[in-house]
C-alpha cells in the first residue's frame, strides 16, 4: 500500500489515499505501522476516504489502535494532500470528520502548493456531560481534580474530541510522562481525555504541552490548541485571538464572537512517500 508521511508542527501521520472505506483491520495496521522502531513511525494513521457530505472524509486511528473523533493537525495534512495531488482545485474545501461533522477549510497557496491551512473547527462544546466528563455543569471551568494525591484544576472543552486544560507554572518543562497518563484515564472522564498543560505568557500568547489520548506526548495538537484558547478566554487569561505555542511550533487560534466558531491556522508538511511491505 502506498502512503505519504506528513506532519503538522511535528504531530506526524501516515496518510493513505484511495481506499473506498475504512479497512476492517485499520486498528491493527495503525499499531503496526505507527511503531517507531518496527514500523513507519507516526502518532496516527489517517485515511482519506470518499464522502457524500464533503469533498473528502478523514478517519484517524491513533498509534494505540483507537479511533480519534477529530484531529486539527491531521485535517491540515489531509487538506494539503488533496490539493497538492490535484484531487481538488479550489482554495475553499470541506472535510468530513466523525466527531465534528463537516468542516470548511481555506487553503493558502504558494507556488502551486498549500503553505498554510485555516480550518473552521466549529463551535466548542462546553457542557460537562457532553464533553464528556462526569461534571454536570456548563461550562466546566477551573474544576478540582485529584490524581495520585496531587490536586489540579481543569477546564473542559470538546472540539469534537474531549480536552481538559490545566494551567501550570511552566508548561514547557512540565512532567508530562507522570501526569498525562494518570489524567487521561481518570474516572472523571468516561471516554478518556486529551490533557493540555498551559502557561499564559500574555493575553496573546500561551505555551502549551499536550498528552494526547491514545498517542501519549506529541509535538503538537490542533484541537488541543483550540481547546486551550477557548479555556483561556473562559478563565479570563487571553483575548479571543492568540498564538498557542506547542513543542513543534505555533498555531494561530481565534474564537470568533460573532459565530462562536473556533478557527485554527497553521502549516502542514510532507516528509516522505513509501510503500508498505
Amino acid at each position: 500500500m502506498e502512503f505519504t508521511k506528513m506532519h503538522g508542527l511535528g504531530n506526524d501521520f501516515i496518510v493513505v489515499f484511495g481506499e473506498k472505506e475504512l479497512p476492517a483491520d485499520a486498528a491493527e495496521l495503525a499499531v503496526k505501522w505507527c511503531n517507531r522502531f518496527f514500523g513507519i513511525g507516526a502518532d496516527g494513521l489517517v485515511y482519506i476516504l470518499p464522502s457524500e457530505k464533503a469533498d473528502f472524509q478523514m478517519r484517524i486511528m491513533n498509534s494505540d489502535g483507537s479511533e480519534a473523533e477529530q484531529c486539527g493537525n491531521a485535517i491540515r495534512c489531509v487538506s494539503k494532500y488533496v490539493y497538492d495531488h490535484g484531487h481538488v482545485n479550489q482554495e475553499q474545501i470541506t472535510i468530513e470528520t466523525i466527531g465534528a461533522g463537516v468542516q470548511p477549510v481555506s487553503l493558502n497557496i504558494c507556488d502551486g502548493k498549500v503553505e498554510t491551512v485555516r480550518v473552521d473547527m466549529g463551535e466548542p462544546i462546553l457542557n460537562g456531560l457532553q464533553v464528556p466528563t462526569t461534571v454536570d455543569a456548563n461550562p466546566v471551568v477551573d474544576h478540582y481534580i485529584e490524581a495520585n494525591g496531587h490536586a489540579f484544576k481543569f477546564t473542559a472543552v470538546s472540539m469534537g474530541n474531549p480536552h481538559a486544560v490545566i494551567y501550570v507554572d511552566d508548561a514547557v518543562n512540565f512532567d508530562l510522562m507522570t501526569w498525562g497518563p494518570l489524567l487521561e484515564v481518570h474516572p472523571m472522564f468516561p471516554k478518556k481525555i486529551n490533557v493540555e498543560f498551559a502557561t499564559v505568557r500574555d493575553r496573546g500568547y500561551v505555551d502549551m504541552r499536550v498528552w494526547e489520548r491514545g498517542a501519549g506526548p506529541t509535538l503538537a495538537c490542533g484541537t488541543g490548541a483550540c481547546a486551550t484558547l477557548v479555556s483561556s478566554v473562559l478563565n479570563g487569561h487571553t483575548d479571543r485571538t492568540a498564538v498557542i505555542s506547542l513543542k513543534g511550533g505555533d498555531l494561530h487560534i481565534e474564537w470568533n464572537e460573532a459565530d462562536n466558531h473556533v478557527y485554527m491556522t497553521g502549516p502542514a508538511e510532507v516528509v516522505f512517500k513509501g510503500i508498505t511491505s
Side-chain angles (χ1 to χ4, degrees):
M1 181 178 292
E2 294 182 354
F3 68 90
T4 301
K5 180 73 179 294
M6 303 184 72
H7 77 89
L9 299 181
N11 188 198
D12 58 344
F13 308 99
I14 301 161
V15 178
V16 176
F17 180 90
E19 297 288 329
K20 299 301 182 185
E21 59 185 13
L22 189 72
D25 59 349
E28 297 172 15
L29 292 174
V31 173
K32 177 182 177 182
W33 290 347
C34 289
N35 188 290
R36 296 189 183 276
F37 300 99
F38 298 101
I40 300 164
D43 293 322
L45 171 60
V46 176
Y47 286 91
I48 304 175
L49 304 172
S51 172
E52 296 180 356
K53 303 176 181 178
D55 291 307
F56 290 97
Q57 183 189 53
M58 175 181 73
R59 300 286 293 271
I60 315 110
M61 310 303 298
N62 292 316
S63 57
D64 69 350
S66 62
E67 185 169 8
E69 302 96 334
Q70 163 63 311
C71 177
N73 290 317
I75 199 171
R76 297 201 314 277
C77 290
V78 166
S79 301
K80 177 177 175 63
Y81 183 99
V82 296
Y83 184 91
D84 288 1
H85 286 80
H87 300 302
V88 295
N89 56 18
Q90 64 271 28
E91 297 179 14
Q92 307 293 322
I93 65 173
T94 53
I95 303 295
E96 179 188 357
T97 67
I98 63 167
V102 175
Q103 297 194 290
V105 177
S106 300
L107 307 176
N108 177 32
I109 310 301
C110 182
D111 297 327
K113 300 288 186 180
V114 172
E115 186 172 57
T116 60
V117 180
R118 184 175 190 260
V119 184
D120 179 348
M121 300 290 286
E123 298 186 63
I125 296 170
L126 304 177
N127 185 296
L129 298 180
Q130 295 176 8
V131 169
T133 74
T134 59
V135 183
D136 188 4
N138 186 11
V140 179
V141 176
D142 208 27
H143 190 85
Y144 177 86
I145 188 172
E146 183 177 309
N148 199 25
H150 189 88
F152 297 96
K153 289 186 176 180
F154 74 93
T155 297
V157 180
S158 172
M159 294 303 309
N161 57 352
H163 296 269
V165 181
I166 296 172
Y167 295 94
V168 296
D169 292 335
D170 184 5
V172 172
N173 297 300
F174 190 79
D175 186 3
L176 274 178
M177 300 304 294
T178 295
W179 300 110
L182 290 174
L183 291 164
E184 177 191 0
V185 300
H186 193 282
M188 200 172 285
F189 308 120
K191 291 187 177 180
K192 301 185 181 181
I193 202 88
N194 299 282
V195 190
E196 286 76 39
F197 300 96
T199 301
V200 180
R201 291 200 203 176
D202 57 47
R203 296 195 65 80
Y205 200 100
V206 181
D207 285 322
M208 185 269 274
R209 297 295 182 265
V210 61
W211 178 274
E212 289 201 51
R213 179 187 58 166
T218 62
L219 297 182
C221 177
T223 54
C226 294
T228 298
L229 186 278
V230 171
S231 170
S232 297
V233 172
L234 292 174
N235 283 276
H237 296 324
T238 67
D239 298 327
R240 284 183 167 264
T241 299
V243 172
I244 308 299
S245 183
L246 307 111
K247 192 170 185 178
D250 295 346
L251 287 172
H252 295 262
I253 311 296
E254 175 194 359
W255 186 13
N256 187 283
E257 191 169 10
D259 63 9
N260 198 39
H261 285 218
V262 180
Y263 295 87
M264 171 194 64
T265 302
E269 303 287 343
V270 174
V271 184
F272 61 85
K273 300 181 180 180
I275 301 175
T276 60
S277 59

